[in-house]
Amino acid sequence: MSTAKTALKAAKAALDAHNYEEATEQARRALAADPQSYHANVFLGLGLDKQDKDDESAKAYRAATQIKHNNPLAWQGLITLYEKQAGKYVEDHQDATVHLAELFMEADDKHKCQSVIDRFTGFVKKHGNRTQCMRALEILLPTSSLYDYLEGRIPHPASTYIKLADMLEAEEKEKMNREIGERRTRLGAKIGQVTTEVKREVLEGSDLETLYQNVVDWTQDDDVRRQYEEKLLQRAYDTLVILPTPRKQEKRQQVVTLAQGLVILKHPFELAWRIIVEWKDGETLENWDAGILREYTVFFPENGLAKVLRAYMESEISPFPPQQSQEKPEADGEKASPLLTAEDRLLMMVDGVQANPPSALAHRLMGDYYLYLDEYESAVDMARKGGNLLTVEAQISGLTLEHDFDAVSITLATALVQYQSPRHHPEARDLFDEVLRRKPANTSALVGIGLILEDEMDYTGAMNFLSRALHRISDTKVKAEAAWCKALSGDYQTGLEELQSCLPALKDSDPRTRDLKAQTLYRVGECIWRLNPSKTARKDRKGAYDWYLSSLQVNMNFAPAYTSLGAYYADYARDKKRARKCFQKAFELSASEVEAAERLAKAFADQGEWDLVEAVAQRVVESGKVKPAPGSKRKGISWPYGALGVVQLNRQDFARSIVSFQSALRISPDNYHCWVGLGESYHNSGRYIAATKAFEHAQAVEASSEADYAESSWFSDYMLANVKRELGDFEEAIAGYEKVLNAKPSEFGVSITLLQSLVDDAWRSIELGFFGRAAESAVRAFKIAKVIAEKRPNAFNLWKAVGDACSIFSWVQAYTKKFPVDDVRYLLESGADTKIYELLSDTDGMGQAVLQSLTISKGAKPSTLLCLTAAILSHKRAINACANDSHAQAVAWYNLGWAEYRAHKCLNVDAKSTPKRKASKYLKASVQCFKRAIELEAGNSEFWNSLGVVTTQMNPKVAQHALVRSLFLNDKSAKVWANLGTFYLLQSDFQLANDAFARAQSADPTYAHAWLGQGLLAHLLGEAKEAQNLYAHAFEIADSASQITKRQYASSMFDQLVSAPISSGKVSSVLQPLFALQQLRCQVSVEAPYEHLSSLFSERLGSYSDTISSLLSVCSAVENEYEVSESTSALLKFAQAKADLARAQLAGGDYTAAADSAETALDLSGEETEAHDPSAHRKCRLSAHLTAGLAYYHNGSMDPAIEMFRTALEETDADPDIVCLLAQVLWAKGGVQERNVAREQLFDCAEKHPGHINAITLLGVIAVLDDDQATIEAVTADLQTLRTQDGMNAHQQGKVGEVLAAIATLESVEGGQDSAEVSEATTAVMLAPSQPHGWSQLAKLTEEAYPAEMALLTAVKSVPPRGLLDAEDLCEAYAGTSRVGDAQRAVVIAPWKVCGWEALSLE
């Protein structure tokens, strides 16, 4: 113990000497001696404090306080230590301060107690954060243990609570901003949702409302109390807004209680008053406290709701009595405002509704007022907005607001009944029904449904609902509606009496009943009008007319009365001027006056005032009267849509006119005129399929309707024909025009359209390859033109069509015999001076003199020159017919230019009958025509293109300029690009030509001449395969009018056939060019080269009669050419034609003629000259020798035949094929010497040509006939080797198989005679399983079903176009199956074959 005291004294002395380390050491020694020494801990804490060992010092001080809790020394040291560390241990500092203050309180030392508290609060204010400051201020609150002792020495609680509230407000604001900023960046976060969530978290966990309440409870300043009452209400309201609905009730009660308190105190806090006013759920305004409403308008005069309330409460429909003298408000001493006028009331209410924030009650009252003013559209708008605002208020407050919603629904439904009636009737009916489900006795809903049913013509149902309403109220308006329903149901007398009984209760001076009285007077007049429909009664001015006037005297703006007066003036008084004024007045007042609108629209249409027609119809459409409500008995009104469609059709606004006519037809599907209008709109907009259906509907309506459409039905037929014409269905179009002309023969437009359709049909037929039909259409066109010329000889379209019809015969020259020369001459001579044909006559030589010579001798065929002459004269007549129309004249010059150029091209081809110098005149005339057309219309790209085409040979610079100019005007024209490519091709600029053709293909991939031009370019560059492919593609996509594609395609295909003989799948390669050349023969007069080419294709298909016919024409043409020119080339052509003719006659069986033709060919090609092509000359003579030899052979003249073959052998250096032919002829002659020679020739051939199949097979046949075993063995070995090699076609394989089978029959084996044959047949099948010959042979030998089936299957797959199997082989395959059906097919396929008939007889 003494040690402890000594240490304590030493520690005290060290502290006084500021030797803190020694003091610390001595204090520890004292504690070691006495651990419970209070002063030792205090000295230790102080020493450590001075050495800045804060944690150890605090530990020592706390140990001291535990030893002596009531001794302030350790607490003071601890507080000093905490103050030294600034804000590091504020919470511990506060605990120490409170303990020390409580010690001073126990010691009753108020001064020290207060100073401790003041010192701590100042310290925290300086060094602590907001939360620490708030906790420090709690020491000063009444909840603190020190408050009662220090009351009066510390700040008033209200001041402290205010500070705490301010701090907490700032802290919560920062927290909300921080949380919202963090959460809004999360994926999928929405700012509204994030804000609500954060607010809910902060507000629900906040004590701010308690602080506000404490301020209110403790403050002695009324202004501060009112301020924090406002804050408390606002805080509670904000919390209510973000709370979920199930938790709103308790908070709502708090909010309402707070708001009521402020309202009772008449404190002008807007939120409180708005809650009391807006959250009131009342059926009518009578349920509100009028005093509160008036005080609201006084306290907040600039508030939107206050403005609406003030104006509404001063209006005629206010449920509160007018306030005679207003008390002076407490807030100010000004006098009350004067009452508002009606205009000022409306302006104030409008201004109030538009104010912010919007008010549900304001919109509800405004909707009622608009309803009173019959402003139904505005009432609908207000009611809808009011309903939305009520929904928001219900969500905020958690109240159902049932009465408010019902009141707004009734206002909305009542307005919808009248607004654009009957468009919104279904919605209004649903609203009324919903209200009646909750309130079955609601009078407004009953009356509303009654009015809806009345408008839907369900008068019985309407009277039922109106009667139910009358049982509950006595309302004159409802009674009048019920009476009117009785009248509309047909009981006019009862309705009249009841309506008249309503009149005494209606006063003119009462603005509420003035309109109703006018309506009732009008309805009385309507009952009188309908009770007696006689003309005398209706003309009586003391009858219905007087009641109409009485109605207008009560209300000058009652529209229905004007409509009825207008009908009276129009139908009975015969005063159209007054009637029109009445109708205009009625329609100006109300767009629902449909009858007045219709009469106005008809009057405006009769005067051609289409803008007014559109205005009237559009307003009727917008009124909503045109379409009945779903389920209504009322019929829709289609005429406004029809009128709009007509107006839009006249303005060429086809898209909108289609919509209008469709709308009209939805309402009235049997409206004939709307179907016609719809079809015309579709037609003009290019939708021809839809137009066709529309016109067909119109015709169906006309056929099924009892109405007489005789005066207008022809128009639908005419338009339908126009549509068919646009679709290219010219036959039906022409039939339609003829039908119309039968009914309306004087319609020039229909006649000229028929004429143009016939010409268009002719051109279309040429494109499709129907050349005969094209000529027939042109002939029919001339007949129609004669009829038109009698009435309108100077019509431009007439002569254009006549010129085109004449030109058609130059495109189908095979049918020029049908050209009606007399009719055309009659047309050209009719109705005009023939001097007009002298136009350009000095250039082209076509004038009136040519017209006089426009005739042919009897039995002669009109020439192409004659047709083109008529075409040129017709286009000259067309130029004269359009002298006053510059655009038409430009087109006429353009048409004449092409006619002249067509004459140049056609007559240049037929050079033997027309000198080229005359043809060049046509070209010059053509150039002049196109230049004239360009002068008249320089912006037409077609004119420039035409000039470029005709000047290509004459002046390349002009041609290039014209074509480039055309492309400048229209660079999307594939035709012009192709023409430019052709120009460059002629100028040998292949790169530019290729670029131009590529651009043409890009512009229009279906334009054939672009591909053809590229094919010509490839041909010139030596790319034969590429050229052939391009020719084929061009031919496939070209129309039949193109001649050059046929020529190039046929030539390229023949070159291919010559280089590669016909094989399986290539038959179409012969058929297509043959068809092309046959079409070319119809289009152009005889062209010997292509006629000759056609005969070669026919020969390859086995059509020998056509071949002979074509070659005879070629021989005649070439012979004539030779007689004129006597050229060596013509002579060689004649020889070649004779050689080909001989070959065709040989194939046709006319052996004598074949021999003669071959001899002629040999005579003509006797000696080869330098002008001859050596290869062609040699082939020609070889063909003639072989043909003559075979012809003599078939005639039985063996010696001449052998001589021909020997000559052929000499000229061909022993060609193996000719050797085989010679051997066959020698063998057929039958002599021993001849047969020996045949054997020798074949042996030599087989030795020189070891792989020649024909030679080996002939040796095999001869060996079989001679039974020469040695030769048979050699031949068999060779044939076995050959049949396994590639390159053998099906015919050769069959021949080899037959020879081997024949050889096999001579062999003798143990299995029987058939074993070798079966083996050979099996081998043939193995080597060529896809060929029918092996299977057929096997089927014959085995008589089994499977080989026969396979023989038939392979045979079917080997016929053209997939193979070359002929009809006889296919017949044998069908006959071999032993089935009746197949036997019948065999007979049908080849009735000349015996095997088919035999198979059929066996079955």
Side-chain angles (χ1 to χ4, degrees), residues 48-80:
L48 291 171
D49 180 14
K50 295 300 183 178
Q51 298 178 59
D52 294 329
K53 296 180 180 180
D54 298 334
D55 293 339
E56 296 180 14
S57 175
K59 184 178 180 182
Y61 281 134
R62 281 196 290 270
T65 58
Q66 292 176 0
I67 295 172
K68 289 184 179 181
H69 184 71
N70 295 327
N71 193 317
L73 185 61
W75 291 109
Q76 289 174 340
L78 190 60
I79 289 172
T80 302

Side-chain angles (χ1 to χ4, degrees), residues 1058-1071:
V1058 170
S1059 61
I1062 300 177
S1063 59
S1064 177
K1066 296 291 183 67
V1067 176
S1068 60
S1069 62
V1070 178
L1071 289 174

Side-chain angles (χ1 to χ4, degrees), residues 633-650:
K633 297 179 181 179
R634 182 183 295 276
K635 293 183 178 180
I637 303 170
S638 63
W639 70 262
Y641 287 111
L644 285 174
V646 172
V647 173
Q648 292 155 358
L649 190 60
N650 287 334

